[in-house]
Amino acid sequence: MEKIDLKKLAKELNLSIATVSKALRDSWEIKAETKQRVRDLADKLNYQPNPYASSMRKRKSQTIAVVIPEIANNFFSVVLDGIQVIAEKKGYHVLTYLTHESYTNEIATIKHLQSGRVDGVLMSLCSETADYQHLIRLKETGMPIVFFDRIAEIPDCPTVTTDDYESGYGATEHLLRRHCKTIAYLSLSQHTSINRKRQQGYMDALKNSPAKPAKNLAVHCGDENGSIMLAIKKLLSKKNRPDGIFASAEKLAIATYHVCNDLKLKIPGDLKVISFSNLRTASLLNPSLSTVTQPAFEIGKEACELLFRKIEKKSNNYMSEHLVLKSSLIARGSTGLDQKLK
Amino acid sequence: MEKIDLKKLAKELNLSIATVSKALRDSWEIKAETKQRVRDLADKLNYQPNPYASSMRKRKSQTIAVVIPEIANNFFSVVLDGIQVIAEKKGYHVLTYLTHESYTNEIATIKHLQSGRVDGVLMSLCSETADYQHLIRLKETGMPIVFFDRIAEIPDCPTVTTDDYESGYGATEHLLRRHCKTIAYLSLSQHTSINRKRQQGYMDALKNSPAKPAKNLAVHCGDENGSIMLAIKKLLSKKNRPDGIFASAEKLAIATYHVCNDLKLKIPGDLKVISFSNLRTASLLNPSLSTVTQPAFEIGKEACELLFRKIEKKSNNYMSEHLVLKSSLIARGSTGLDQKLK
DNA sequence: CTGAAAGCGCTTACAG
DNA sequence: CTGAAAGCGCTTACAG
């Protein structure tokens, strides 16, 4: 089956390429009858316009890029789902790039994105990223960029985040109410803006607590499974170990469960656990896991909608928007509250 | 910051566009000194070639499409991870399309893919797909297609699957050994080839069983969460309810856990459960879930590698390859085996 | 209402 | 070793 293009349609119809092109785009310049003939043949021969030719001519690619640290992750895969829904509605295509939490990868990807392959970028920083020069450079080429969750604060770049300070405060308060005296805040990396906010919420909640817990324990475990297990094992093996864990990422909670199994520590008896998490099985774990859950699907949708707003009124140098969505705290068995919530 | 293209580089360097282009592609026609000058300026000005212009000229897009039913799913998101790893290594870009289990969406996506937007397609069928005409048409345009997991059997299209018959047999045998008398095989949809194989394995295992379980119970629950819960609730409310569940998809097992909570049925006491699943938290569930786990990451990698082999020797009409990877059965608490496996 | 022509930013066969 | 020219498949301002 040969590839069919405008030229072939034109020849077959005894029309010029220009006329066929206009007919297919439903131009008012073309009379109805001609449009019909053209469309009929295009349908019959299953004509699909070459997107790259149009892209070049129109200088827009109908494509956006999503740059995320990883994909095999409940949070990011659901965000992506939300993004895809909006992009599809707009007739846009979605290219995905994974940085695998590596700054070097992130730089290479962002640099490539200056090529004009996409009309806009949706992005969540990798944990190593502390410097935003590569992103500022991309932005300065006129590329619309919207950050979500792990954001960079760059002028004119809209962001979608969740109420990280409040969630951090709330989760800590929850542990305090559950009578924890020593609460460890676990995070993967200390550099992200999110982490700063969550940890600040945690610290403020401790400060305001009448109970005055003994210590402010913040442990940065790194990003690798090995280092995470090790850090948590070390933490929980001490004789003055914490009696509460506030995990800022799902994998830290999972690792905590495993370590508790190994060390024969009982959750919630010996240790109460609450975690930022989008696990769909949180309520089925043993014990069910108390979570702070971010609205991942909405984050994806909102971020994508902000991006399209930015793409569509590119010239308009309007204020950038910063959307903050609410996470929800769901108390379950790991903090001693095993009422069956639906 | 203005967009920089070959023309600008050429002007700046007092060279022709052709020379600059060749220098950047390291052509032997260009002398070393010129190459250096060109590269230096390109680096300095952060030149990125317009990919769509090259694509058009070279008639390849350096892009592949991944068409999957959903993304917010442990299996598919890990497969995608594997695909991305290989694609990135090859310098290819990855477009993702979700069919959301809808045949209509699948047809529209596949039709679009005839446009030349991508050089190859990696695909897992949606559950509604029973007719392959749209795929055959795409293949006949010369598009390399590799199917994984939910495959279509189409000449010249390589496939990557797992040993579904054997896994179905093995999981059923496992339930029989755990003294189940009536085993329900739960699936989302009955049309997929995978399902046929798994179910065949299940039925043969029952047939060969000395125990002769009372019934051959295969329940097709549909794809929506509502219909799934309903079907399972109905099944487990009967007084001659099954004492074993073999779930061919993770969400069926999760629904089963929820229904058991509602109906106060104990797993594994009243009901034993084993499920195809890529849940990373299977071992932490209450009770831990016995699983048949597919090597999702490898599936993605292998499928992507097959695709590149196909893309690279397009002319060569070689035999299509059919790769079958092994799933692993991990017995846990939900079938009464709670030894802590690591 | 239709068509010739220029051009999007590249690559490559060919001439010099 | 360098460059002029054609062309990838479209779109669009312009002429008729």
Side-chain angles (χ1 to χ4, degrees), chain A residues 81-147:
Chain A
D81 201 6
I83 291 170
Q84 293 268 5
V85 165
I86 301 300
E88 193 190 337
K89 204 174 283 175
K90 290 273 183 181
Y92 267 69
H93 301 261
V94 180
L95 282 169
T96 309
Y97 298 91
L98 306 182
T99 59
H100 296 290
E101 303 286 12
S102 146
Y103 180 51
T104 316
N105 287 345
E106 186 177 295
I107 287 186
T109 299
I110 292 301
K111 187 168 176 191
H112 170 83
L113 257 21
Q114 277 169 207
S115 66
R117 190 179 287 274
V118 299
D119 298 340
V121 176
L122 285 166
M123 167 135 197
S124 209
L125 298 183
C126 88
S127 58
E128 294 181 355
T129 302
D131 182 285
Y132 303 156
Q133 280 314 306
H134 54 309
L135 300 165
I136 291 170
R137 225 174 299 131
L138 177 60
K139 186 213 110 182
E140 281 175 351
T141 67
M143 178 72 74
I145 312 179
V146 173
F147 293 95

Side-chain angles (χ1 to χ4, degrees), chain B residues 16 18-19 22 29 31 34 57 59:
Chain B
S16 74
T19 302
K22 283 186 244 182
E29 292 181 274
K31 73 175 171 197
T34 305
R57 202 34 245 262
R59 319 183 116 263

Side-chain angles (χ1 to χ4, degrees), chain B residues 276-287:
Chain B
F276 274 88
S277 168
N278 280 74
L279 263 186
R280 269 158 306 171
T281 51
S283 68
L284 296 179
L285 295 190
N286 182 22

